[in-house]
């Protein structure tokens, strides 16, 4: 657990006079950079405690849960970090509309608060003008009365209009980094501004947006500090960070995955900066075993819940704990229970989403 790791670094009498007032809510780029760089055990302890306190003040013992439906793994892009990049010779799937509706229903019946419909940038969906995805969104909203997030990658404005009109609540599109040079190395051949503008247009259309970062891909603390501030500037309702997981067959397969302390510090700083933000503890980085640390860092949401033996996959850890039934609401609820926390009901989530700003 992260607490032992922090205490393990305990160096007696370490000067912590610079422990800042962590509840002040506005931090300069310099202050964020220093906090990200700090390995002072007492400061880190205070950082995580403050993040937990802020979360609990905002929402009590509730934690939200999202079902993850990665419905097509075909993609036209070649992101260097991604298993599903076009050039990777892997097996891919494209689920049918009925399979997508069935898995969504199973997830909803298991107690998730939202369905996250995620895809590779599959040319078949682009050629279809996203009619199928819009119909699926509408059916989940109307037949199952459940909030929906779409993660379709970069799409044109009229497609965003179509998905918003179908009732999609969230548009998730992660910049990974706001350092343009690093972006170009990660999302090869993709346009930084096109990606950012798609997100901003979705927000203009009244959708909530999720911004996301990768940790451990060559960024500096200053880059993370920039991203943390930009997340507020663009008004992201949900903000996330995922530690990079090397993927077989990708150009970054021999890069190492980062120490998780970076991800946990970023989650905590997101909480300090944005007390009412939705901040995921993603099960897609370290499986169900990674849940506790991320909740203890200030996350208020569990994502990447995938039913066992469903034939659906994750993204970063695309099979970890899935078929063993490790990535279920039931498993997560048992861990939360030990922490004095619980999975929120859908109407509690809806109220939080709309009323808690
Ligand atoms: N194709 C869509 C897109 O790229 O926006 C959605 C697919 S999935 C949500 C894409 C996200 O998963 C990426 O933006 C990245 O943040 C995360 N991801 C992909 N590969 C990863 C890896 N190897 N390690 C950690 N996160 C990864
Ligand atoms: C997750 N595996 O939440 C999912 C995915 C996409 N909107 C989310 C990265 O970790
Ligand atoms: Fe395609 Fe998304 Fe993977 Fe990039 S991250 S290769 S766009 S699925």
């Amino acid at each position: 657990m992260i607490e032992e790791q922090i205490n393990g670094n305990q160096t007696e009498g370490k000067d912590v006079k610079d422990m800042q007032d962590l509840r002040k809510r506005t931090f300069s780029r310099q202050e964020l950079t220093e906090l990200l760089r700090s390995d002072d055990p007492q400061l880190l302890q205070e950082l995580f405690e403050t993040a937990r306190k802020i979360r609990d003040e905002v929402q009590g013992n509730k934690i939200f849960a999202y079902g993850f439906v990665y419905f097509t793994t075909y993609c036209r892009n070649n992101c260097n970090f991604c298993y599903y990049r076009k050039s990777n010779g892997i097996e891919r799937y494209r689920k049918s509309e009925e399979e997508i509706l069935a898995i969504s229903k199973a997830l909803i019946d298991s107690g998730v608060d939202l369905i996250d419909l995620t895809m590779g940038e599959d040319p078949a969906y682009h050629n279809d003008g996203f009619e199928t995805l819009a119909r699926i969104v509408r059916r989940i909203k109307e037949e199952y009365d459940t909030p929906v997030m779409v993660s379709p990658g970069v799409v044109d404005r009229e497609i965003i209009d179509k998905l918003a009109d179908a009732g999609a609540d969230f548009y998730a599109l992660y910049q990974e980094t706001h350092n343009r040079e690093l972006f170009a190395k990660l999302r090869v051949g993709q346009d930084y501004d096109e990606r950012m503008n798609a997100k901003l247009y979705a927000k203009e259309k009244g959708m909530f947006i999720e911004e996301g970062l990768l940790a451990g891909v060559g960024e500096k603390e200053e880059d993370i500090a920039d991203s943390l501030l930009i997340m507020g500037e663009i008004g992201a309702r949900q903000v996330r960070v995922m530690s990079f997981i090397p993927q077989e067959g990708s150009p970054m397969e021999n890069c190492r995955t980062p120490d998780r302390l970076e991800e946990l510090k970023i989650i905590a700083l997101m909480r300090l900066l944005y007390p009412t933000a939705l901040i995921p503890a993603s099960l897609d980085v370290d499986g169900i075993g990674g849940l506790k640390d991320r909740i203890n860092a200030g996350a208020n949401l569990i994502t990447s819940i995938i039913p066992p033996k469903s034939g659906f996959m994750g993204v970063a850890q695309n099979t970890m704990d899935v078929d063993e039934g490790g990535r279920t609401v039931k498993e997560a609820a048992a861990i939360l229970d030990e922490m004095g926390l619980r999975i929120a009901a859908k109407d509690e989530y809806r109220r939080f989403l709309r009323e808690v700003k």
Side-chain angles (χ1 to χ4, degrees), residues 297-315:
N300 61 343
L301 159 64
I302 302 163
T303 65
S304 210
I305 289 174
I306 306 171
K309 303 191 176 18
S310 61
F312 282 75
M313 300 180 91
V315 176

Side-chain angles (χ1 to χ4, degrees), residues 140-305:
I140 293 172
K141 295 287 288 182
E142 289 169 4
E143 294 170 29
Y144 304 146
D145 185 25
T146 298
V148 172
M149 169 182 278
V150 288
S151 312
V154 175
V155 293
D156 295 339
R157 287 189 162 201
E158 61 269 19
I159 304 300
I160 293 173
D161 291 346
K162 196 178 283 187
L163 295 171
D165 296 348
D169 301 275
F170 258 104
Y171 182 55
L173 191 70
Y174 313 147
Q175 211 71 10
E176 323 300 359
T177 176
H178 297 84
N179 173 321
R180 288 168 179 267
E181 217 179 299
L182 181 55
F183 177 91
K185 289 182 191 150
L186 296 171
R187 287 190 158 271
V188 182
Q190 297 167 49
D191 183 280
Y192 177 97
D193 293 300
E194 186 188 22
R195 195 167 177 88
M196 180 54 80
N197 291 337
K199 227 173 347 231
L200 297 177
Y201 180 71
K203 185 156 185 300
E204 248 177 68
K205 276 299 289 180
M207 292 163 97
F208 292 113
I209 56 175
E210 180 186 15
E211 180 61 293
L213 302 180
L214 278 176
V217 286
E219 73 286 354
K220 297 186 298 302
E221 286 85 358
E222 289 81 354
D223 297 322
I224 299 283
D226 289 337
S227 291
L228 287 170
L229 294 170
I230 291 169
M231 287 173 157
E233 288 159 19
I234 66 173
R237 186 74 182 84
Q238 184 166 312
V239 289
R240 76 158 64 208
V241 55
M242 293 171 74
S243 297
F244 162 69
I245 304 289
Q247 300 296 327
E248 197 185 332
S250 73
M252 294 175 70
E253 67 178 333
N254 298 318
C255 299
R256 68 175 191 77
T257 191
D259 183 294
R260 295 302 185 258
L261 188 56
E262 180 186 359
E263 180 183 334
L264 298 174
K265 283 193 222 175
I266 295 169
I267 289 173
L269 287 173
M270 286 171 170
R271 181 58 64 212
L272 266 58
L273 286 164
Y274 313 116
T276 62
L278 284 154
I279 304 175
S282 166
L283 302 182
D284 205 25
V285 182
D286 294 320
I288 192 73
L291 176 58
K292 205 165 178 185
D293 275 349
R294 290 167 174 83
I295 295 292
N296 279 334
N300 61 343
L301 159 64
I302 302 163
T303 65
S304 210
I305 289 174

